[in-house]
Amino acid sequence: MGLRDRFRDNGRPAEPSENEHPRGRGNGNGNSDSATATERPSARALTDRSTGLKARIHRRMVERINLASLESVDPERLRTQIRQIISALLAEENIPMTEAQRAALEQEVLNETFGLGPIEPFLHDPDVADILVNTHRQVYIERFGKLELTGTKFDNDEHVMRIIDRIVSRVGRRVDESSPMVDARLPDGSRVNAIIPPLSIDGPVLSIRRFGVRTLHMNDLLELHTVSPGMAEVLQGVIRGRLNTLISGGTGSGKTTLLNAMSAFIPAEERIVTIEDAAELQLLQPHVVRLETRPTNIEGRGEITQRDLVKNALRMRPDRIVVGEVRGSEVMDMLQAMNTGHDGSLTTVHANSQRDALHRLETLMLMSGVNLPNRVMREQISAALDVIVQVTRFSDGTRRVIAVSEIVGMEQDVVAMQDIFVFRKTGLDEEGRVLGQFEATGIRPKFADRLKLAGVDVSPAVFREGQVL
């Protein structure tokens, strides 16, 4: 499961709003049953009582134990001891509870103490891909490619801030008024972004892009119809033949997932250096060196950028360099590395099409401060890149590779490019799912000869025009 569900076709209806309650039964006079309404506490009253009890139990538990001294205790033994303390505190409160209510309260206090509070259950749900906290009042999740509003809420903005501080402190980062934005990661590799006032007007906002329980491989993407068998064969050949590859797509389109799946074809004997803003790649090869950027410290110093890491990686004798995403001045050093003996390197970029990806690289080169003519920049790009893979998220939540294109050089002042495979969308079915098919354009790529010389055998049949792959 996990990120596999980022590519699923079906959605799930959102939970009903907490305000959508059935009306009370009339008493025959057109009025609601006031006696029943008086005897039965409202949903808000029950929620407030549960929240207050949970906060009180949590506060008393913290007073009784030293959490810092428990870091060396076995987690399972620790949880058992905490449960016993919670049970004793509930007994002291002398509040009648069913076993289910007691177990639920114990779990909430445990989540509050050792986890991420109200959103902790979502981190254990393999169907949930994204968790989006829009201040303390509202939590959305993405499930099967669709966003849905949950009934989960935080107590207040301070409650959200405690969870944010807990996340960022684990990776040595901070968030406060002087540094109101932060990128971090969870132990499972999920990406975290937090932004707080004064930048976030209504309160602290937390976004968690889950990386999944397990890494998806190319076979998984085939089952999910993200790629076709012919595409998968060629992409495997591209990696084994050491072609420089750029994966392009919009936010949430599955670029990192595809990058992970393709990187699995890198031979185990090669030395790989990965460079990321927040480490999330999960390469399975034995010889992998992982590098991560560092933000400024409290004095505004000590920042290490991706460009710094790319420059340093060139001195580390890498066979391949994998940059999680190019988004700044590191694009210059990345392209130069591709042009100077580091064949087979991979990276991703945010763009809506292959041509937009090339324009994006030009823009990033200009942002790095270089003063080069357009033609020189485009020559640098065309010489460095061999293949662009475009991935898209459709309206039904599915992700598909919609094009595999080859860079073939320059035509006057334009980077020449030709599509090898495309996905042709034909419409929507009655349930709103995208219909279409993968096709070969009939063009035999120029890199086919390079693959053959590298000992990579790709069947000529996969390039046959109009073939549904």
Side-chain angles (χ1 to χ4, degrees):
M1 302 289 287
L3 274 188
R4 169 191 293 266
D5 303 306
R6 286 183 177 276
F7 298 84
R8 283 195 174 172
D9 300 3
N10 56 325
R12 186 176 295 181
E15 297 293 332
S17 168
E18 65 174 6
N19 296 323
E20 295 178 1
H21 299 294
R23 296 182 179 275
R25 182 176 297 175
N27 58 10
N29 298 323
N31 299 321
S32 61
D33 190 343
S34 58
T36 302
T38 303
E39 295 170 1
R40 185 178 302 160
S42 67
R44 180 178 295 275
L46 289 172
T47 301
D48 292 344
R49 187 176 70 177
S50 174
T51 300
L53 177 61
K54 180 180 67 174
R56 190 162 63 252
I57 293 294
H58 182 249
R59 183 175 62 253
R60 293 183 62 189
M61 185 189 69
V62 172
E63 291 173 353
R64 290 195 178 190
I65 62 176
N66 182 2
L67 295 178
S69 65
L70 299 177
E71 293 181 354
S72 59
V73 180
D74 177 73
E76 287 303 320
R77 181 184 174 190
L78 178 59
R79 294 177 76 89
T80 300
Q81 293 177 352
I82 295 299
R83 287 185 185 278
Q84 292 173 351
I85 296 174
I86 293 173
S87 296
L89 291 174
L90 285 175
E92 293 177 10
E93 293 281 344
N94 196 25
I95 297 177
M97 279 189 175
T98 65
E99 286 300 321
Q101 290 173 331
R102 183 184 297 269
L105 180 58
E106 290 178 358
Q107 189 59 53
E108 286 184 14
V109 175
L110 282 168
N111 291 342
E112 208 54 56
T113 306
F114 300 104
L116 301 186
I119 61 175
E120 182 70 18
F122 299 134
L123 297 174
H124 300 283
D125 185 347
D127 292 339
V128 174
D130 294 333
I131 305 170
L132 309 173
V133 180
N134 303 335
T135 72
H136 72 275
R137 307 178 189 88
Q138 197 178 65
V139 177
Y140 278 87
I141 61 172
E142 180 187 312
R143 184 181 274 132
F144 306 124
K146 299 289 186 179
L147 286 177
E148 58 183 76
L149 177 64
T150 71
T152 300
K153 294 184 179 181
F154 288 78
D155 299 339
N156 46 46
D157 286 343
E158 289 74 18
H159 191 189
V160 182
M161 285 300 302
R162 287 199 303 272
I163 299 302
I164 292 175
D165 287 335
R166 185 175 299 169
I167 293 172
V168 301
S169 63
R170 291 173 179 172
V171 292
R173 305 201 175 186
R174 64 185 178 88
V175 58
D176 51 38
E177 289 189 1
S178 63
S179 180
M181 296 186 297
V182 65
D183 288 312
R185 68 178 186 278
L186 297 179
D188 65 356
S190 299
R191 287 176 288 180
V192 178
N193 175 268
I195 183 168
I196 66 172
L199 301 187
S200 176
I201 298 174
D202 298 322
V205 175
L206 176 66
S207 305
I208 300 177
R209 304 288 307 280
R210 294 193 63 202
F211 198 71
V213 177
R214 69 180 185 88
T215 304
L216 291 184
H217 300 288
M218 194 61 71
N219 287 337
D220 300 311
L221 301 187
L222 283 169
E223 292 178 7
L224 297 168
H225 305 293
T226 301
V227 296
S228 69
M231 279 183 177
E233 182 180 351
V234 171
L235 292 179
Q236 178 178 355
V238 163
I239 299 300
R240 294 192 180 278
R242 301 184 63 85
L243 301 186
N244 294 324
T245 305
L246 175 69
I247 299 175
S248 168
T251 300
S253 58
K255 299 185 297 296
T256 304
T257 300
L258 181 60
L259 177 60
N260 261 307
M262 292 177 62
S263 66
F265 299 123
I266 298 177
E269 62 270 15
E270 294 188 11
R271 176 177 171 85
I272 309 167
V273 177
T274 69
I275 298 166
E276 302 171 85
D277 265 337
E280 57 182 326
L281 294 174
Q282 298 179 355
L283 275 63
L284 303 178
Q285 287 81 357
H287 199 168
V288 177
V289 178
R290 304 172 70 204
L291 305 179
E292 184 181 43
T293 61
R294 186 180 72 184
T296 56
N297 58 21
I298 195 169
E299 298 175 349
R301 302 175 181 176
E303 181 183 16
I304 304 296
T305 66
Q306 282 201 136
R307 185 170 194 178
D308 297 328
L309 294 179
V310 172
K311 290 180 179 178
N312 189 78
L314 298 177
R315 306 184 184 101
M316 299 173 66
R317 198 256 173 229
D319 289 309
R320 303 194 194 220
I321 297 176
V322 179
V323 179
E325 179 187 342
V326 288
R327 62 180 72 184
S329 58
E330 69 275 1
V331 65
M332 286 295 299
D333 301 277
M334 181 69 197
L335 293 175
Q336 290 180 33
M338 290 179 171
N339 275 324
T340 55
H342 298 90
D343 297 334
S345 296
L346 297 95
T347 189
T348 72
V349 69
H350 272 83
N352 294 324
S353 69
Q354 306 94 292
R355 186 59 62 180
D356 285 347
L358 298 178
H359 294 324
R360 170 91 170 142
L361 293 180
E362 287 185 47
T363 302
L364 294 177
M365 293 174 74
L366 292 173
M367 291 172 60
S368 68
V370 299
N371 187 17
L372 297 175
N374 289 341
R375 180 177 177 83
V376 174
M377 289 191 295
R378 291 168 187 170
E379 287 177 346
Q380 180 90 345
I381 293 171
S382 66
L385 294 177
D386 299 304
V387 177
I388 298 181
V389 182
Q390 184 71 34
V391 60
T392 295
R393 178 174 65 175
F394 288 100
S395 58
D396 61 352
T398 58
R399 277 81 166 175
R400 289 190 176 93
V401 174
I402 63 169
V404 177
S405 305
E406 179 187 26
I407 304 294
V408 294
M410 294 284 295
E411 291 183 358
Q412 296 182 354
D413 291 338
V414 179
V415 178
M417 184 168 48
Q418 57 186 13
D419 292 338
I420 309 303
F421 303 107
V422 295
F423 175 81
R424 301 196 188 279
K425 179 181 175 182
T426 58
L428 302 175
D429 65 9
E430 296 178 354
E431 298 180 357
R433 290 180 295 192
V434 171
L435 302 176
Q437 60 186 18
F438 296 103
E439 294 182 1
T441 61
I443 297 174
R444 182 179 181 273
K446 294 183 177 180
F447 63 69
D449 294 330
R450 287 181 56 184
L451 298 185
K452 187 175 182 180
L453 292 174
V456 179
D457 185 21
V458 177
S459 173
V462 301
F463 303 120
R464 194 167 298 156
E465 182 178 3
Q467 180 181 1
V468 180
L469 303 169

